[in-house]
Amino acid sequence: MLVLTRKVNQSIIIGDGIEVVVLEVRGEQVRLGIKAPRNVEVHRKEIFEQIHAENEAASSTDPTDVPD
């Protein structure tokens, strides 16, 4: 894991089109702004994991178990 130190209003660039800006640090929370192309999905990790788990569950469902 790459670890970087940034101050408020400083940013990091990921690839050619994603910028993550530190907007605010309040106690143990950091508020981030993310600039990314519209075709790049951005999720909180817990939401991403939930989507992934639901997609895996849906793909393992036997089509004959789905009511008409």
Side-chain angles (χ1 to χ4, degrees):
M1 173 188 300
L2 173 65
V3 179
L4 301 170
T5 301
R6 302 276 63 203
K7 295 178 180 177
V8 172
N9 294 323
Q10 291 184 332
S11 62
I12 63 169
I13 304 296
I14 301 171
D16 288 333
I18 301 171
E19 181 178 8
V20 180
V21 183
V22 177
L23 299 175
E24 181 180 14
V25 178
R26 189 182 318 164
E28 294 184 7
Q29 291 189 323
V30 177
R31 189 169 177 225
L32 302 172
I34 301 167
K35 299 176 187 174
R38 290 194 177 273
N39 64 332
V40 175
E41 294 184 19
V42 178
H43 301 282
R44 294 183 185 101
K45 183 177 180 179
E46 61 273 19
I47 300 299
F48 176 81
E49 290 173 343
Q50 184 179 0
I51 292 168
H52 184 73
E54 290 177 5
N55 285 343
E56 282 202 13
S59 68
S60 64
T61 300
D62 186 347
T64 60
D65 293 339
V66 178
D68 292 329

